[in-house]
Amino acid sequence: MISLDERSGYEGYRVEAENLVEFATALRDEFGYDFLSSATGVDYLPDEKMEVVYHIYKSTGGRALVFKVQVPRANPVVPSLVSIFPGADFQEREAWDLFGIRFEGHPNHKRILMWDGFAGHPMRKDWKEAYYEADAKPFDTRWPGGDVSRSEDKMVFNKNVAYPQDFTPENWTPEGETALYSGMQNIATDEDLQTEHVVVNLGPQHPSTHGVFRMVATLDGETIVKLEPVMGYLHRNHEKIGERNTYLMNIPFTDRLDYLSSMSNNFGYVLAVEKLLGDTTHIPDRAKYIRVIMAEFTRISNHLMAIGALLNDLGAYFTPMLYALKERELILDIFEAVSGSRMMCNYYRFGGVARDLPPGTHEMMRGLAFERLPRQIDELDRYLTENEIIRARCEGVGVLTPEEAIAYSAVGPVLRASGVPYDVRRADPYSVYDRFDFDVAVRYHGDVYDRYLVRLDEIRQSIRILQQALNSIPECDNCLGKPRYSMRVPAGEAYGRVEGPKGELGFYVVADGGPNPWRYHVRAPSFINLTALSKMCEGDKIADAIIVLGSIDIVLGETDR
């Protein structure tokens, strides 16, 4: 029924599909593993197997327990774990959408990232997209002959686009839309009252939905009785591209996920690959400190943007946003000084960082961490926190209890505002975070207001970490070591995770010994936190849905990938 995963470089347990639900229930109820972090599909084409990999934790802290289910590739059917861990909802739909793994018993089994009429499952190893050239980079047209050309230029448009059999755009009826709307109307009503529910679309192209995101809400008057997030408008199969890149090529690629937090994205990915490299990777202390400093500046920068955007969603328009952006710009100055770029920083490397701090940067960072930021954050706090309109709009709205937050796999400020003091930097420390004194920010009402307060608290804690790191960073020249640009990654699997500004950001990487990852998966907090959006909105007013979404702090580049 259960066996150790004895493949070289792998860890955890292998469970038979028919025992999966019983095994997961026992882990939660008898062993305290109540937090399902990640569910990942993997296509082992040479073995004709599909695998689902689960990373599960105790919400009180500690390392992951990993278990896996393998099923035949020809008929991949796995029992759904949504009834045990509601946070598996979107992740199982993603594995179905991209790999074709069917989850028996899933309450809403349909595509989530691809459009309704899409044929096939694009993360399968034998799936070929339009303009397909090769399974892995560098492509022959670009290397080694140097005869550069665009493969698209050699194709006639539509030549290799495959439509489903008997499909014509004119006669196509979007079944997914029909299913979506029928599900939204299946709500019990009081028979004594002759009322009608109204289904309203919010988005996708609207500033209040943060770009390209859609909420389908069923309303009773102005009250939300059901809401379903609809995403995928920005999906570009980031993970498929990542599996064709070399390991190094993926570092700048991670910048594009959450473009407000590119340093944190770099951090999570290099940690995963360094785990695969094992003891062969030595990271000098100075590089470790620089990584932490950049990650904490990223957290402050992200939270300033999140607070400014939330106030924008509340209707305060530009003044609070400009207060927040002013400080964020100064942090971006530092990113530009060290990496040459303000947003897509591409600064971390396997074994360290790309280059040392340029002259004068240390003083700039000290000026921000010790002088300006503490003063400006206090001013922002005075300006916003006791504002009666903010309190009236945010308190008691979008409530998520601690039990619900854990069950829905919520992370970051969303989880901690619900009273769960779980922070990866403390629960499962990485890099040099165990050397710093800081508190895990936590609030207990689980509403929009507490999510705002947690972000404000976390900015202050990040400043504490920055002050300690800047005081204790090893001062030496040429002690960063030699960052690795080309290496052979041994076969195996690794999951690297960091406490990103939006919560646990994880990268699951499978190596087969070749120059490209066999599997490259992103555990995106923006994506998984949305699983709880409907629960947070039900019972609130339609106008509240906008600020509930704002309080989650999503970036669609990461949500859709």
Side-chain angles (χ1 to χ4, degrees):
M1 180 176 109
I2 303 167
S3 60
L4 281 173
D5 189 344
E6 294 178 336
R7 291 173 291 181
S8 177
Y10 285 70
E11 62 172 332
Y13 300 91
R14 297 171 75 164
V15 185
E16 298 296 329
E18 57 266 30
N19 303 120
L20 179 65
V21 173
E22 181 186 359
F23 179 73
T25 306
L27 284 179
R28 184 193 64 179
D29 296 342
E30 298 177 27
F31 296 95
Y33 286 91
D34 54 351
F35 182 77
L36 174 69
S37 169
S38 175
T40 309
V42 186
D43 181 4
Y44 286 103
L45 177 62
D47 303 328
E48 286 298 322
K49 297 283 187 185
M50 285 285 182
E51 186 172 272
V52 182
V53 183
Y54 300 90
H55 288 82
I56 192 167
Y57 296 87
K58 295 178 180 179
S59 59
T60 51
R63 300 195 61 187
L65 189 147
V66 186
F67 60 95
K68 301 146 188 179
V69 175
Q70 278 201 348
V71 288
R73 198 169 181 275
N75 183 29
V77 181
V78 175
S80 171
L81 293 186
V82 172
S83 60
I84 304 164
F85 298 107
D89 185 345
F90 285 10
Q91 301 186 70
E92 288 183 355
R93 282 176 62 189
E94 180 187 338
W96 156 249
D97 193 358
L98 304 184
F99 285 91
I101 301 171
R102 191 156 56 84
F103 289 87
E104 211 162 53
H106 191 289
N108 193 19
H109 202 269
K110 60 188 179 191
R111 290 191 179 278
I112 191 167
L113 294 174
M114 308 305 295
W115 67 294
D116 307 324
F118 190 86
H121 304 282
M123 283 301 295
R124 287 192 167 213
K125 287 295 182 182
D126 52 358
W127 186 85
K128 305 285 190 298
E129 76 279 19
Y131 308 121
Y132 168 83
E133 183 171 350
D135 276 342
K137 295 175 184 172
F139 296 148
D140 287 342
T141 54
R142 305 180 188 187
W143 180 267
D147 181 18
V148 178
S149 65
R150 290 175 61 85
S151 59
E152 294 92 325
D153 295 338
K154 300 175 182 174
M155 298 285 187
V156 178
F157 182 66
N158 278 348
K159 185 177 178 182
N160 62 346
V161 174
Y163 289 110
Q165 191 175 7
D166 302 326
F167 173 88
T168 59
E170 293 77 18
N171 299 327
W172 175 65
T173 303
E175 295 177 3
E177 291 288 287
T178 306
L180 173 63
Y181 288 124
S182 62
M184 299 304 294
Q185 293 166 353
N186 186 24
I187 298 166
T189 57
D190 188 338
E191 294 180 357
D192 294 336
L193 294 175
Q194 297 300 314
T195 60
E196 289 185 358
H197 288 147
V198 178
V199 178
V200 173
N201 282 284
L202 294 90
Q205 280 81 30
H206 192 273
S208 68
T209 54
H210 291 228
V212 277
F213 181 72
R214 176 175 159 211
M215 294 186 285
V216 182
T218 300
L219 303 178
D220 181 0
E222 288 190 38
T223 303
I224 298 169
V225 292
K226 196 167 186 178
L227 183 144
E228 182 163 339
V230 184
M231 59 197 80
Y233 299 97
L234 202 62
H235 179 67
R236 64 221 191 266
N237 221 348
H238 174 100
E239 295 178 7
K240 186 82 169 185
I241 299 169
E243 290 173 11
R244 290 178 177 162
N245 287 339
T246 63
Y247 290 94
L248 183 69
M249 284 178 182
N250 276 337
I251 296 177
F253 199 44
T254 64
D255 294 341
R256 275 73 180 165
L257 283 168
D258 176 358
Y259 39 79
L260 301 177
S261 307
S262 66
M263 291 285 196
S264 295
N265 301 346
N266 287 179
F267 204 172
Y269 174 65
V270 299
L271 283 181
V273 176
E274 285 166 355
K275 276 187 180 180
L276 280 167
L277 292 169
D279 295 336
T280 60
T281 304
H282 169 70
I283 307 165
D285 256 12
R286 182 172 174 82
K288 291 178 182 175
Y289 275 74
I290 292 175
R291 285 179 172 190
V292 167
I293 289 168
M294 294 304 150
E296 293 310 314
F297 270 124
T298 299
R299 193 179 319 279
I300 296 171
S301 163
N302 179 90
H303 285 353
L304 286 168
M305 186 75 192
I307 290 171
L310 176 64
L311 268 293
N312 220 344
D313 292 337
L314 277 164
Y317 297 109
F318 299 116
T319 304
M321 174 69 101
L322 289 176
Y323 266 72
L325 289 183
K326 187 174 59 175
E327 306 311 312
R328 178 172 175 268
E329 287 297 311
L330 298 174
I331 294 173
L332 298 191
D333 287 346
I334 290 172
F335 292 166
E336 187 174 13
V338 300
S339 73
S341 177
R342 299 179 74 80
M343 290 184 72
M344 311 301 176
C345 296
N346 182 23
Y347 183 52
Y348 291 46
R349 292 291 182 274
F350 309 127
V353 291
R355 59 191 69 83
D356 202 352
L357 303 176
T361 316
H362 193 266
E363 291 70 25
M364 287 172 62
M365 294 189 295
R366 289 188 69 87
L368 275 182
F370 286 91
E371 298 294 334
R372 182 171 177 110
L373 282 176
R375 188 174 67 248
Q376 295 301 107
I377 298 306
D378 285 346
E379 185 177 87
L380 196 68
D381 188 2
R382 283 196 302 275
Y383 178 49
L384 297 177
T385 303
E386 295 303 323
N387 181 291
E388 61 183 295
I389 298 175
I390 292 174
R391 295 194 67 159
R393 287 294 313 276
C394 297
E395 286 181 326
V397 173
V399 174
L400 200 63
T401 68
E403 295 78 15
E404 291 168 342
I406 293 169
Y408 280 96
S409 303
V411 291
V414 177
L415 177 66
R416 291 188 285 275
S418 292
V420 183
Y422 189 89
D423 185 314
V424 180
R425 294 172 296 176
R426 280 281 187 245
D428 187 13
Y430 54 94
S431 191
V432 288
Y433 274 106
D434 55 353
R435 301 181 189 178
F436 302 120
D437 182 26
F438 68 98
D439 299 321
V440 175
V442 63
R443 298 277 173 163
Y444 299 95
H445 297 101
D447 55 12
V448 171
Y449 191 62
D450 275 8
R451 285 173 212 130
Y452 155 76
L453 291 176
V454 161
R455 292 193 175 94
L456 208 56
D457 295 341
E458 287 190 1
I459 289 176
R460 292 195 167 101
Q461 295 304 320
S462 290
I463 291 172
R464 280 179 69 188
I465 295 172
L466 284 172
Q467 290 173 347
Q468 295 168 66
L470 290 168
N471 278 338
S472 53
I473 183 172
E475 290 288 346
C476 56
D477 297 325
N478 301 317
C479 63
L480 277 185
K482 185 178 180 182
R484 303 178 69 164
Y485 292 90
S486 178
M487 69 279 171
R488 184 159 292 280
V489 178
E493 63 168 359
Y495 181 66
R497 62 173 187 158
V498 297
E499 184 63 44
K502 296 172 174 65
E504 178 184 334
L505 171 66
F507 290 85
Y508 177 72
V509 181
V510 175
D512 63 352
N516 311 73
W518 177 263
R519 180 73 176 105
Y520 163 82
H521 174 67
V522 185
R523 193 266 181 219
S526 289
F527 174 67
I528 297 176
N529 278 347
L530 284 171
T531 315
L533 178 62
S534 182
K535 174 62 69 177
M536 285 189 265
C537 289
E538 289 169 12
D540 287 330
K541 303 298 182 189
I542 184 68
D544 296 330
I546 306 302
I547 60 170
V548 173
L549 179 66
S551 74
I552 296 176
D553 182 25
I554 60 167
V555 160
L556 269 301
E558 183 182 85
T559 304
D560 283 1
R561 285 158 288 145

